[in-house]
Amino acid sequence: MDEEAESLIGGIDVEAVPVEPDSAEPGASFDWLASTGVGLSWVETQPLTGRTIVVRADPARIAGYAVRDESVGSSLHAYGGMPYLFTTSGALVAVNAATGQLSAPSGRTSDAFTYGDLAGGDGQVLVVREHDRGDQLIALAPASGRLRVLLATDGFLASPRVHEDRLAWMQWASDVMPWDSCEIWIADYSPVQGLRRPRRVAGGPTESAIQPHWGADGTLYFMSDRSGWWNLYRWRDGRAEAVAPMPAECATAPWESSYANYLLLPGQRVAMTVQSGPEQHLAVVEPDGGSRMIQTPYTSIKPYLAALGDRVALIGASPTRASEIALVATDGSDEIEVIRRSTARGGAPTASAPEQLHVRADGATTTVLFYSPTSAEDGGPPPLIVRPHAGPTYQNELRLDREIQFFTSRGFAVAEVDYRGSTGYGRAFRKALDGNWGRLDVEDCRNAALYLIASGRVRSDAVFISGASAGGYTALKAVCDDGPFTLAVARSAIVDPQRWRTTAPRFQRPHATILASATSPVVAEQVRRSVLLVHGAADQVAPIGDVDGLAAALQQRGLLADLVRFDGVGHYLSGSAQQTALDAELAAYRKALRRMGVAMPA
């Protein structure tokens, strides 16, 4: 359990970065919000430079920092973990997004590991690092640069949390996903002796226990879905008890490490997010177990809650309000102070806000976010774009989405579908897609479209489907059957689920195996409608070769709308590549509509 391996790091690698004090750049995004005791810190993108920096806002000033000439960010477990930490002396320890290496006051690492999930601990920094054989939990002495391996496993580790002489962490095996099976462990801990007497306190083969956090009195809090919903529990005196049981999700599927969907407030109160379907709220749980929803303008809250006194700091958004950092009062006044927002305030007055629909078919209820167009050529029903989300273990977020507004402002209706397998609806719904990928998700997207057609909200002859990554596979499978889809758009699509089992990142390979257990590749001979393929040539998750082969076969059958390739681009499209992809998608829709004699707004 405790390894004696030690090493040293050397060199200094952190620089100050100018930031505007009043607001962030247009299009900036915010992540990894944390409390510094007297202020807040967060990760902020700078679209003009393309960098991601750490911003620290104290009562006296606001300042930006970054790894020299690079961005701050972590690709731990492929999707990331807390990439920075301010030590008690105010020094910054951060992860270089380009290399995955750790930069500390004494210098930087230079090894084969990827670092992330930083946390404070008794004057040291606790860090999780990963290589292709497993994870290690290490303790870093920032001043000397000494690294000590505390724990190693061929599986996964996350969220180390220290309280006095005890350490808690998340742990799961190499062949499972943390939202299916995850454990909370604790051990006696000291910087000198390391870990002693490790023991499991929650989680198991059919339980996902996540987000450990110590209370001031030594009580250990965590989220668990043992009831079928991720709810808050506390462990003390050798037993666990529910804090605020409810039929709602109070945690986010742990795609990244160090999520914080709840925090402990003074007076033994707890603030936490509560999600029902796509909508999230902020709640305060009182010491007697009673809870109260706080009224905020936000319907989407990122899983990075932080405390500043008795106020909750959060990153919130809504369909008409862009993402912003705010302080929310918990004293009953529900007052909100916005700390940081982009200079592009909220959404345009004509932004389309969704209607939440519930479609019942095939023995299941599917939630759909339906966006009406904000411009139209005439008063008739508009064409429809159905969008299955990526993941697929995720959900559609109820917040301002640039891509959706791009299409609604050009006369299209958009329907986002939380198909079976989505999060936000409990464990059983989340696991319904296991072994059913390419079937249940397709059925739910089809039924959503048929419902909107039958209700007269959209045209019956102009229904498109568009998805990315796993959602791209859903879109491709959807046009392997007759109706109602006229054309499919597949961005960074997984074409061969069986190959994805080997190309997926180490973290996600069990996910791919579970989902692909009864799936088949997309074969051109089965496709019945036109397809637009958009793909990065450097995509390692969904290899471009699969897409090239599919495109060639579709071309021979006259079903290839286009293949848009981006040299040097990986699995995720951003910046100019993302805009080019949107323009190509719009062009494909308009071409299909012109064939029907349908005119669309310019």
Side-chain angles (χ1 to χ4, degrees), residues 556-581:
Q556 289 183 346
R557 299 188 61 220
L559 292 177
L560 181 67
D562 200 1
L563 168 61
V564 180
R565 290 171 56 116
F566 296 103
D567 292 335
V569 174
H571 193 58
Y572 303 99
L573 306 184
S574 61
S576 61
Q578 183 185 33
Q579 185 58 54
T580 300

Side-chain angles (χ1 to χ4, degrees), residues 231-371:
N231 279 186
L232 184 63
Y233 290 78
R234 60 182 164 226
W235 182 86
R236 56 186 176 185
D237 300 326
R239 59 185 297 269
E241 59 184 6
V243 174
M246 61 182 73
E249 296 283 41
C250 300
T252 302
W255 282 96
E256 299 172 297
S257 301
S258 301
Y259 280 167
N261 285 100
Y262 71 97
L263 54 81
L264 306 181
L265 296 169
Q268 296 184 319
R269 299 188 304 155
V270 181
M272 65 182 183
T273 61
V274 175
Q275 180 177 352
S276 179
E279 190 166 359
Q280 293 176 308
H281 301 278
L282 183 67
V284 171
V285 180
E286 302 295 340
D288 62 3
S291 62
R292 178 181 71 86
M293 295 295 177
I294 296 178
Q295 299 302 310
T296 77
Y298 309 117
T299 53
S300 176
I301 302 172
K302 290 188 175 182
Y304 313 121
L305 298 186
L308 200 58
D310 63 352
R311 292 189 293 175
V312 177
L314 56 78
I315 304 171
S318 79
T320 56
R321 193 172 183 127
S323 180
E324 61 191 27
I325 300 173
L327 280 172
V328 181
T330 63
D331 59 3
S333 67
D334 294 355
E335 290 183 355
I336 294 175
E337 177 188 358
V338 177
I339 300 299
R340 188 78 164 168
R341 58 158 59 101
S342 166
T343 50
R345 290 281 305 275
T350 56
S352 177
E355 179 184 0
Q356 194 171 151
L357 306 173
H358 302 285
V359 178
R360 178 77 178 177
D362 295 323
T365 299
T366 303
T367 299
V368 178
L369 296 179
F370 178 71
Y371 293 80

Side-chain angles (χ1 to χ4, degrees), residues 196-559:
R196 294 174 293 113
R197 295 201 312 126
R199 56 265 193 205
R200 180 176 61 88
V201 300
T206 60
E207 177 186 359
S208 172
I210 57 179
Q211 298 188 25
H213 191 86
W214 294 102
D217 63 353
T219 298
L220 180 66
Y221 292 79
F222 61 93
M223 291 285 182
S224 169
D225 68 352
R226 61 181 63 180
S227 70
W229 301 89
W230 269 313
N231 279 186
L232 184 63
Y233 290 78
R234 60 182 164 226
W235 182 86
R236 56 186 176 185
D237 300 326
R239 59 185 297 269
E241 59 184 6
V243 174
M246 61 182 73
E249 296 283 41
C250 300
T252 302
W255 282 96
E256 299 172 297
S257 301
S258 301
Y259 280 167
N261 285 100
Y262 71 97
L263 54 81
L264 306 181
L265 296 169
Q268 296 184 319
R269 299 188 304 155
V270 181
M272 65 182 183
T273 61
V274 175
Q275 180 177 352
S276 179
E279 190 166 359
Q280 293 176 308
H281 301 278
L282 183 67
V284 171
V285 180
E286 302 295 340
D288 62 3
S291 62
R292 178 181 71 86
M293 295 295 177
I294 296 178
Q295 299 302 310
T296 77
Y298 309 117
T299 53
S300 176
I301 302 172
K302 290 188 175 182
Y304 313 121
L305 298 186
L308 200 58
D310 63 352
R311 292 189 293 175
V312 177
L314 56 78
I315 304 171
S318 79
T320 56
R321 193 172 183 127
S323 180
E324 61 191 27
I325 300 173
L327 280 172
V328 181
T330 63
D331 59 3
S333 67
D334 294 355
E335 290 183 355
I336 294 175
E337 177 188 358
V338 177
I339 300 299
R340 188 78 164 168
R341 58 158 59 101
S342 166
T343 50
R345 290 281 305 275
T350 56
S352 177
E355 179 184 0
Q356 194 171 151
L357 306 173
H358 302 285
V359 178
R360 178 77 178 177
D362 295 323
T365 299
T366 303
T367 299
V368 178
L369 296 179
F370 178 71
Y371 293 80
S372 296
T374 55
S375 64
E377 189 67 23
D378 54 42
L384 172 67
I385 304 169
V386 174
R387 287 166 51 110
H389 58 76
T393 306
Y394 201 61
Q395 78 279 333
N396 291 300
E397 296 174 303
L398 197 54
R399 66 183 186 185
L400 188 65
D401 186 302
R402 172 177 169 266
E403 291 191 8
I404 291 175
Q405 302 304 320
F406 178 86
F407 291 110
T408 57
S409 66
R410 289 160 174 81
F412 293 84
V414 176
E416 293 195 307
V417 182
D418 272 355
Y419 49 80
R420 280 168 284 183
S422 300
T423 53
Y425 304 87
R427 183 181 176 96
F429 194 91
R430 186 171 76 239
K431 291 188 65 61
L433 203 62
D434 293 359
N436 291 304
W437 187 32
R439 187 172 69 83
L440 297 188
D441 48 331
V442 171
E443 287 180 6
D444 291 347
C445 288
R446 181 188 303 117
N447 289 332
L450 293 174
Y451 173 85
L452 292 168
I453 292 169
S455 63
R457 296 169 184 257
V458 300
R459 296 180 64 103
S460 62
D461 57 350
V463 179
F464 311 109
I465 185 166
S466 173
S469 190
Y473 178 74
T474 301
L476 290 171
K477 294 295 284 187
V479 291
C480 289
D481 296 319
D482 288 328
F485 300 110
T486 304
L487 177 145
V489 178
R491 286 194 294 175
S492 306
I494 295 165
V495 173
D496 186 348
Q498 302 305 320
R499 191 192 309 278
W500 184 45
R501 297 170 64 175
T502 61
T503 61
R506 169 178 167 261
F507 165 81
Q508 204 175 2
R509 284 173 200 158
H511 192 212
T513 298
I514 293 167
L515 291 170
S517 60
T519 61
S520 59
V522 177
V523 179
E525 288 70 26
Q526 298 175 344
V527 176
R528 303 183 184 183
R529 299 290 186 269
S530 294
V531 173
L532 169 65
L533 296 168
V534 180
H535 219 86
D539 192 335
Q540 299 297 313
V541 176
I544 186 68
D546 290 345
V547 175
D548 286 341
L550 178 62
L554 290 174
Q555 180 75 53
Q556 289 183 346
R557 299 188 61 220
L559 292 177

Side-chain angles (χ1 to χ4, degrees), residues 135-215:
D135 280 7
Q136 294 179 353
L137 173 59
I138 66 170
L140 162 69
S144 67
R146 188 173 296 277
L147 300 176
R148 178 186 178 91
V149 178
L150 302 175
L151 175 62
T153 174
D154 63 356
F156 297 90
L157 303 169
S159 300
R161 299 291 182 264
V162 169
H163 175 73
E164 295 179 347
D165 59 353
R166 290 190 294 176
L167 175 68
W169 67 92
M170 289 167 52
Q171 183 169 329
W172 65 99
S174 61
D175 60 349
V176 299
M177 298 306 297
W179 50 74
D180 290 333
S181 173
C182 188
E183 301 172 344
I184 302 292
W185 285 69
I186 66 170
D188 299 337
Y189 168 71
S190 77
V192 175
Q193 295 179 311
L195 302 184
R196 294 174 293 113
R197 295 201 312 126
R199 56 265 193 205
R200 180 176 61 88
V201 300
T206 60
E207 177 186 359
S208 172
I210 57 179
Q211 298 188 25
H213 191 86
W214 294 102

